[in-house]
Amino acid sequence: RFWCQYWILIALLTVCERVGDAFVSWVPMYSEAKLAFIIYLWCPKTKGTTYVYDSFFRPVVLKHETEIDRNLLELR
């Protein structure tokens, strides 16, 4: 479960970074902050992946779950 949540968050971070690259690339120490965030997510002692996933990502998915399921059925 940990690795699934971790890779979902990394994928989400990558997509957001690609879209907002023009806005965040000029921020000082952005790369260092991103590295620290990835280490926070990865480190088992901090349980960062579980916290970020349960606090931010999961409520959004639960809120839009019916819409997501409907769109997936339409794609089939």
Side-chain angles (χ1 to χ4, degrees):
R1 182 174 174 171
F2 168 80
W3 287 111
C4 184
Q5 291 175 344
Y6 173 80
W7 286 113
I8 288 170
L9 292 174
I10 293 297
L12 184 64
L13 178 65
T14 302
V15 169
C16 291
E17 185 180 29
R18 300 279 180 185
V19 172
D21 187 41
F23 302 110
V24 296
S25 63
W26 59 271
V27 175
M29 298 200 45
Y30 170 72
S31 297
E32 290 82 359
K34 180 181 167 189
L35 178 63
F37 181 68
I38 290 172
I39 291 171
Y40 168 72
L41 290 178
W42 172 77
C43 187
K45 286 185 179 183
T46 63
K47 298 187 190 266
T49 297
T50 304
Y51 175 75
V52 172
Y53 187 88
D54 289 341
S55 298
F56 300 103
F57 189 72
R58 189 168 183 222
V60 173
V61 171
L62 290 176
K63 181 179 177 183
H64 299 288
E65 184 176 14
T66 56
E67 184 179 337
I68 293 168
D69 290 341
R70 184 173 34 85
N71 288 334
L72 286 174
L73 286 174
E74 286 177 9
L75 286 174
R76 285 187 190 171

